[in-house]
Amino acid sequence: MKKIFTGAQIAELDRYTMRSESIEHIDLVERAARAFVYEFNRHYMPRRNDVFVFAGRGNNGADALAIARLLLEDSYSVQVILFNTSGSLSPSCEANRQRLLDTPGSHLQEVRDEFTPPVMRHDSVVIDGLFGTGLNRELEGGYAMLIEFINRSEREVVSVDIPSGLYSEENDFGRRLPPIIKATRTFSFEQPKLSFFMAENSRYLGQWQILSIGLSERGKEEIESDYFQTTDFDMARSILTRDRFAHKGDFGHALLVSGSRGHMGAACLAAKGALRSGAGLLTVHVPACGEVIMQTALPEAMTDSDMESDLISGVPQPDKFDAVGAGPGIGVGAIQEKMLRQLILSMKKPMVLDADALNIIAEHRDLLDLLPSGSILTPHARELERLTTYCDNDYQRLCQARALSANHQVYVVLKGAYTATCMPSGKVVFNSSGNAGMATAGSGDVLTGIITGLLAQGYAPATAAVLGVYLHGLAGDLYAGRYSQQSLLAGDIAEYLGEAYKQLLVH
């Protein structure tokens, strides 16, 4: 797993690297600048784009000044505006200021009091190097006006490491829109920042990517973190191998409790996800009206019909099943609540709960205390808020999901662009696969089936949740890569699980 560090931990990693390699901070600045310029040249051209560099007085400004010098050497037309209102620069910033002044053709305007905005052409590019991860207060006064000027310029903006004004972790501004650079692109160094995974910050980040600057791998191992991001290598290693002489019973018998009249599609999608994930056997408990639908749509699944025609009122004894998933399409009401309570009370092993099962639990909070330890809940943002409390933004939701996980010893899979699996230990794993085309009806039902199928095969709950989310997203990526995000259906995700496994297994 790739660790996600706080701003303070990134500074610690910088120091660790400098000690272990016997180098100075300005050497790290030069690495960062060269990585930035290499990527910058993939998007822009000297003859087409002139560049305006806005640099601050700290280490982010040092990066920006080094970038300006390297762009000059690459024949760009570069105008540099250094904001030094305090009259004091960080050592690396001062050193790079002098290096820039010594470079032929440099144009440096140092602002100590009044700022005269430059005139920029329509194809000019702005490099934002005003503030970095060390920022700990909201920008105001002249800096707030400067941010507004850059944002209103309608020029492409490339931020150095992080958009100025954005914190690397918590950006809990409520409904206010604080002064933060709205970047077209963000080239961040070595490790992603926690704030990059929050939906409310996407308007500031633009397209972001991580550039390696060779920070110490041993340092990364030694510095502890609660936040991680999946990698294809780790996901490939987590897949269980299959013995040639295995039979279907070796890969688990899963039970899905799903569906109601008018919502049998949810049951079919979840069932297909469970079988495509590799479960050896699958039983789907459905209302009587759904028996023919299920057996026609998915003959590989066994169907168990409820005594009620339109909804599910009871469930088979779960003891004979290796994993149980419940919720997609079951509806909410007194009968379903009684059924779900009975199911939870009879469970002796972790189960998967989604959709209407979560909505029922939200209305009957005592059910949370009855859940088997290690169970997996898969809410989207609104379902999480029903289970906890109203939240203004993704950061607040993440905090609520972590608390829910720790307080009830369950895994909370908070679905979103970077689905976060929150663990009882307090650790959080962000998913690195998936795309916007997966924001479609039934996508979550397929995920419920996948995780239930993995759990039935003997995967630990943590692995079932993280691997299930990754496979789900990878299948969506493979479909979108072949066709498009716009045309993606939930059923396509299930169909492409085979391709997802195939891609992982080549690692």
Side-chain angles (χ1 to χ4, degrees):
M1 297 282 186
K2 180 186 294 184
K3 290 181 178 178
I4 300 167
F5 293 130
T6 65
Q9 288 172 322
I10 291 170
E12 182 184 350
L13 182 58
D14 284 347
R15 292 190 294 270
Y16 189 106
T17 302
M18 289 186 285
R19 288 195 305 270
S20 63
E21 298 184 22
S22 299
I23 59 175
E24 301 297 326
H25 183 266
I26 196 167
D27 299 313
L28 286 184
V29 170
E30 192 70 11
R31 289 186 193 178
R34 291 190 180 280
F36 184 102
V37 169
Y38 178 84
E39 192 60 35
F40 187 90
N41 281 328
R42 296 180 65 245
H43 299 276
Y44 306 100
M45 298 175 60
R47 294 181 180 178
R48 188 175 65 191
N49 304 111
D50 58 354
V51 178
F52 287 81
V53 178
F54 292 80
R57 57 176 293 273
N59 290 333
N60 194 248
D63 293 338
L65 294 177
I67 289 165
R69 171 172 49 81
L70 294 174
L71 289 176
L72 272 172
E73 293 174 359
D74 283 350
S75 301
Y76 283 89
S77 171
V78 182
Q79 301 286 330
V80 182
I81 305 168
L82 172 61
F83 290 83
N84 184 17
T85 54
S86 67
S88 173
L89 303 176
S90 73
S92 291
C93 191
E94 176 58 43
N96 272 309
R97 172 183 173 277
Q98 192 57 52
R99 287 182 179 182
L100 179 63
L101 290 172
D102 292 341
T103 302
S106 64
H107 297 276
L108 173 64
Q109 175 190 353
E110 190 164 345
V111 177
R112 290 177 178 263
D113 40 50
E114 291 188 10
F115 165 59
T116 302
V119 177
M120 297 186 285
R121 297 188 335 213
H122 73 280
D123 55 358
S124 297
V125 180
V126 172
I127 291 179
D128 157 41
L130 292 166
F131 295 94
T133 58
L135 185 69
N136 57 13
R137 60 184 175 82
E138 185 175 331
L139 298 179
E140 56 187 12
Y143 281 115
M145 294 173 64
L146 174 60
I147 299 292
E148 183 181 5
F149 163 74
I150 294 173
N151 287 342
R152 293 179 61 184
S153 72
E154 298 185 352
R155 302 302 189 270
E156 290 207 9
V157 179
V158 185
S159 285
V160 180
D161 200 31
I162 190 170
S164 292
L166 186 69
Y167 302 150
S168 57
E169 293 93 46
E170 178 181 357
N171 288 272
D172 198 355
F173 298 109
R175 295 180 178 273
R176 292 186 302 108
L177 294 178
I180 300 174
I181 287 287
K182 293 181 179 178
T184 310
R185 294 182 174 87
T186 299
F187 297 157
S188 196
F189 302 128
E190 202 69 28
Q191 306 289 121
K193 282 63 174 171
L194 180 62
S195 59
F196 290 9
F197 298 93
M198 309 297 154
E200 60 269 16
N201 300 326
S202 63
R203 73 185 79 181
Y204 306 117
L205 291 160
Q207 298 176 5
W208 61 270
Q209 60 192 101
I210 305 301
L211 309 181
S212 174
I213 60 172
L215 296 185
S216 170
E217 292 300 322
R218 178 170 290 184
K220 294 175 190 176
E221 292 175 8
E222 293 185 6
I223 297 173
E224 296 292 330
S225 177
D226 284 336
Y227 301 100
F228 302 83
Q229 187 182 23
T230 54
T231 66
D232 52 6
F233 177 74
D234 289 309
M235 294 298 94
R237 288 198 307 172
S238 68
I239 296 175
L240 298 176
T241 57
R242 294 198 162 200
D243 188 276
R244 183 174 181 83
F245 294 95
H247 58 83
K248 60 188 177 185
D250 293 328
F251 305 120
H253 190 173
L255 170 67
L256 282 173
V257 180
S258 182
S260 60
R261 181 174 291 277
H263 295 91
M264 282 306 300
C268 293
L269 289 166
K272 186 173 289 189
L275 286 171
R276 288 289 187 190
S277 75
L281 295 162
L282 172 66
T283 295
V284 190
H285 185 77
V286 298
C289 69
E291 180 178 8
V292 173
I293 296 172
M294 180 59 68
Q295 293 201 316
T296 303
L298 209 62
E300 298 89 347
M302 293 175 283
T303 304
D304 184 68
S305 295
D306 197 87
M307 61 185 296
E308 290 285 341
S309 173
D310 295 344
L311 51 80
I312 296 173
S313 61
V315 291
Q317 272 301 115
D319 294 349
K320 65 178 182 180
F321 301 101
D322 297 295
V324 176
I330 64 173
V332 295
I335 294 175
Q336 291 95 327
E337 184 270 326
K338 182 179 179 181
M339 175 276 295
L340 185 62
R341 185 178 294 273
Q342 175 191 354
L343 175 61
I344 292 173
L345 287 171
S346 62
M347 288 295 300
K348 296 181 174 61
K349 59 185 70 172
M351 61 189 304
V352 183
L353 295 159
D354 181 36
D356 286 331
L358 299 179
N359 292 329
I360 291 170
I361 292 172
E363 293 179 3
H364 304 274
R365 298 285 183 88
D366 65 299
L367 290 172
L368 282 171
D369 297 320
L370 303 178
L371 294 175
S373 178
S375 290
I376 302 169
L377 281 58
T378 62
H380 56 58
R382 292 294 168 255
E383 288 167 344
L384 177 79
E385 290 182 14
R386 294 178 197 130
L387 288 166
T388 56
T389 187
Y390 172 77
C391 300
D392 283 320
N393 53 52
D394 268 7
Y395 184 82
Q396 291 181 1
R397 292 184 193 99
L398 181 64
C399 292
Q400 290 295 329
R402 293 183 74 192
L404 179 64
S405 175
N407 292 340
H408 297 282
Q409 293 298 291
V410 296
Y411 294 85
V412 178
V413 177
L414 179 55
K415 294 180 288 194
Y418 299 99
T419 294
T421 299
C422 303
M423 305 193 179
S425 63
K427 305 289 186 184
V428 178
V429 178
F430 290 96
N431 187 49
S432 57
S433 64
N435 60 80
M438 299 174 69
T440 186
S443 178
D445 302 323
V446 176
L447 177 62
T448 298
I450 294 171
I451 296 175
T452 304
L454 292 173
L455 207 56
Q457 293 173 66
Y459 288 87
T463 306
V466 173
L467 177 60
V469 169
Y470 187 86
L471 284 168
H472 181 258
L474 181 57
D477 287 340
L478 290 168
Y479 174 90
R482 183 170 182 179
Y483 297 106
S484 68
Q485 293 184 16
Q486 289 81 356
S487 65
L488 195 156
L489 300 177
D492 298 322
I493 300 171
E495 291 296 336
Y496 270 73
L497 280 171
E499 290 288 338
Y501 268 119
K502 183 179 179 180
Q503 180 162 312
L504 278 183
L505 288 170
V506 300
H507 282 276

